[in-house]
Amino acid sequence: MSVKVRFAPSPTGYLHIGSARTALFNWLYARHEGGKFYLRIEDTDRERSKDEFLQEILGSLKSLGLDWDGDLVFQSRRTDYYRKMADLLVQKDMAYGEGGALHFRSPKTGKIIVQDLLHGPIEFDLDQHLSLAEDLVIFKSDGSPTYNFAVVCDDADMGITHVIRGDDHISNTPKQLPLYEALGFQKPIFCHIPLILGEDRSRMSKRHGATAIREYVEAGYLPDALVNYLSLLGWSPGNNQEIISRQELIQKFELKRVLKTGAVFNKEKLEWLNGQYVRKLPIPELTDNLIPYLEKRRYKTEDRAWLERLVLLFQERIFTLNQFPDLAQFFFEENIEYNEEAHKEFAKDARLKNAFTRYAAMLESLPVFDAKTIEEKSRALMKDLEMSGKEFIHPCRVAVTGRAISPSFFETIALLGKEKATRRLRQAANSIK
Ligand code: GLU
């Protein structure tokens, strides 16, 4: 039996982290088994379904690299098929019309047992779950099929072997099972996966932070890092491994290893993990990825080699791509602002006026402007000025970057270039009485 799974979003909103995780588990399972991963658009609610949401969902899936097999299936184009299935039930007197709607004669006594791959058998006693014994509307009076009916018809027609969806659908499954029987359909294997929770263990929602996949992509989370992180939300490879490549995930993913309890979303962990992926990217690729974030700030350069050196300088320091323009700001802006506290400190040391002036003159005179030369000559100057590295470098860093913290000082000077470095040193000298 070859595995066929589906992800069935309703285009009534953006792609939520929780839904993306459901899509990912379906995708991983299909790829692990060499099966098919289908995408079905559940757009029967014509009022709430919007093309912009569909585009956002597809765009988010693509940016995560979750490719689907075959054509998209749109429920809104399959009304004739649902109609046919409903007629079949009417012919067998298993459904009837009332008030313009069609109702399915749901079972009234006994138990419905959902066999769930993760949770085992889940029993629904109809004496206790009275709403399950109510006849189920399968077609609404507006002529559209209901979710529970369309889902069953489609899962059967598409030959879905495993229905992998969120725990929030557990209560729908006992409504769907009698329909499988009434229509003579073969039942798929059900696997309800736990929801994603916020830090307070309630269902992950906007008040816990960004929930749309698009927001994470825009903030500069890398697709592989997101996929890695989402896969660990409710699944584990069986050891404490945290960094797992896409290929390894496909190889190791098993439904049986999905955890039964909700997984807590931890933004810090995701950020840390993304940082690990940033460190591993080859510089040319990381540079390509960072350029759009620079462009958003109108930071431009024609000098690719310079930019790649700059990226290398910050590769160990950024966790998300959108942090780069902030950290590298002083390389692109003409004028810098001093970190107030750091500046106060250097303004106190009268020796610095002279030190900055001499440093500027020395840098200006250098025929070769690379980190190694700059370091050698700077150390000689410090000696001459009788200043320690700490006394000299720290204020100079504030003078040229505006900040108390920056990457490697001499490479920073080299990449700033003579003009910016000397101009800023002279400005700093002038700011001291
Ligand atoms: N359209 C449903 C949802 O977005 C899909 C449920 C299912 O997978 O059966 O929740």
Side-chain angles (χ1 to χ4, degrees):
M1 175 187 72
S2 97
V3 162
K4 289 183 183 162
V5 295
R6 82 316 192 261
F7 175 55
S10 307
T12 53
Y14 55 81
L15 186 68
H16 185 278
I17 287 189
S19 306
R21 203 268 319 249
T22 300
L24 174 63
F25 281 16
N26 275 283
W27 182 84
L28 283 172
Y29 187 58
R31 296 296 172 255
H32 175 79
E33 295 288 332
K36 300 281 185 211
F37 171 68
Y38 297 121
L39 212 53
R40 183 170 73 225
I41 311 305
E42 308 216 311
D43 56 350
T44 52
D45 186 336
R46 282 167 216 165
E47 287 277 295
R48 292 174 56 223
S49 298
K50 298 256 159 19
D51 186 58
E52 66 199 74
F53 292 136
L54 173 63
Q55 296 314 325
E56 170 155 346
I57 291 168
L58 298 181
S60 292
L61 290 171
K62 279 184 202 155
S63 57
L64 291 175
L66 304 184
D67 53 335
W68 55 91
D69 297 302
D71 294 332
L72 297 178
V73 175
F74 288 90
Q75 286 192 327
S76 59
R77 300 179 193 167
R78 289 166 62 79
T79 314
D80 288 349
Y81 166 63
Y82 308 130
R83 214 13 110 184
K84 225 163 80 189
M85 293 300 112
D87 287 346
L88 228 74
L89 292 178
V90 174
Q91 278 161 30
K92 293 200 246 179
D93 194 31
M94 294 173 111
Y96 60 92
E98 192 184 272
L102 269 184
H103 301 252
F104 171 64
R105 296 192 197 281
S106 300
K108 300 287 175 281
T109 54
K111 282 177 186 165
I112 296 175
I113 302 174
V114 175
Q115 296 291 351
D116 187 277
L117 194 69
L118 274 189
H119 302 276
I122 310 171
E123 290 195 9
F124 295 86
D125 195 328
L126 292 177
D127 290 336
Q128 276 156 40
H129 293 84
L130 295 178
S131 66
L132 282 180
E134 282 167 23
D135 288 349
L136 187 74
V137 176
I138 55 175
F139 256 91
K140 292 183 254 180
S141 54
D142 69 1
S144 63
T146 58
Y147 158 70
N148 281 303
F149 186 61
V151 150
V152 169
C153 293
D154 285 336
D155 284 338
D157 190 47
M158 292 165 74
I160 299 302
T161 58
H162 296 70
V163 168
I164 305 166
R165 62 186 169 201
D167 265 355
D168 50 335
H169 283 287
I170 284 187
S171 58
N172 283 319
T173 313
K175 296 178 192 163
Q176 295 172 11
L177 287 176
L179 286 168
Y180 278 94
E181 278 167 26
L183 289 160
F185 289 152
Q186 196 182 335
K187 289 176 204 144
I189 291 166
F190 290 95
C191 178
H192 291 92
I193 59 181
L195 299 178
I196 295 179
L197 310 175
E199 303 273 338
D200 60 358
R201 305 209 125 257
S202 70
R203 190 178 177 165
M204 169 95 181
S205 68
K206 273 187 189 150
R207 74 198 158 79
H208 298 110
T211 52
I213 287 296
R214 181 184 42 81
E215 295 175 86
Y216 287 91
V217 172
E218 283 174 1
Y221 285 88
L222 300 165
D224 284 343
L226 279 168
V227 160
N228 186 159
Y229 183 71
L230 290 175
S231 75
L232 294 178
L233 278 181
W235 177 83
S236 116
N239 50 26
N240 287 331
Q241 189 182 356
E242 285 182 312
I243 299 175
I244 318 178
S245 72
R246 202 178 279 259
Q247 271 322 305
E248 210 177 341
L249 280 173
I250 291 174
Q251 195 194 327
K252 292 188 172 167
F253 188 82
E254 275 180 73
L255 282 177
K256 287 189 188 106
R257 296 210 64 91
V258 174
L259 309 173
K260 288 195 186 75
T261 48
V264 176
F265 181 82
N266 180 330
K267 174 109 186 280
E268 284 76 43
K269 175 105 185 267
L270 169 59
E271 212 177 289
W272 170 81
L273 192 68
N274 200 64
Q276 304 307 304
Y277 276 82
V278 168
R279 316 279 176 271
K280 282 195 298 191
L281 276 189
I283 291 297
E285 198 179 322
L286 180 55
T287 304
D288 288 341
N289 280 323
L290 287 170
I291 287 173
Y293 292 86
L294 293 174
E295 282 174 350
K296 253 187 245 170
R297 294 271 277 270
R298 298 181 201 284
Y299 292 168
K300 283 211 178 73
T301 173
E302 301 292 315
D303 190 343
R304 174 79 187 195
W306 176 82
L307 185 57
E308 290 197 1
R309 278 171 67 197
L310 194 64
V311 169
L312 180 64
L313 194 61
F314 284 97
Q315 185 175 32
E316 297 287 326
R317 294 177 170 256
I318 54 173
F319 289 87
T320 56
L321 303 183
N322 66 352
Q323 292 169 343
F324 182 60
D326 280 331
L327 288 179
Q329 181 188 34
F330 56 86
F331 284 99
F332 294 94
E333 306 270 6
E334 281 310 313
N335 299 310
I336 52 168
E337 266 170 48
Y338 296 128
N339 169 301
E340 222 173 286
E341 258 162 64
H343 181 246
K344 254 189 226 148
E345 215 163 292
F346 88 55
K348 281 193 300 214
D349 189 341
R351 293 178 300 172
L352 287 171
K353 193 176 178 72
N354 176 45
F356 289 154
T357 311
R358 283 192 56 191
Y359 196 27
M362 185 278 276
L363 291 176
E364 202 139 66
S365 73
L366 290 182
V368 184
F369 208 70
D370 63 6
K372 193 166 160 282
T373 315
I374 295 169
E375 174 157 11
E376 274 169 23
K377 302 284 181 194
S378 304
R379 296 216 182 271
L381 178 65
M382 282 179 235
K383 229 183 199 162
D384 210 31
L385 291 166
E386 293 179 357
M387 291 178 89
S388 70
K390 192 169 168 277
E391 287 170 317
F392 180 79
I393 292 175
H394 181 65
C396 287
R397 169 178 286 125
V398 180
V400 297
T401 69
R403 302 173 184 209
I405 303 166
S406 80
S408 154
F409 176 69
F410 300 110
E411 178 69 358
T412 296
I413 297 276
L415 287 176
L416 270 174
K418 239 182 222 188
E419 192 277 323
K420 275 200 178 73
T422 54
R423 176 161 49 83
R424 287 177 187 174
L425 284 165
R426 288 192 174 112
Q427 269 167 5
N430 287 338
S431 78
I432 300 175
K433 307 265 141 52

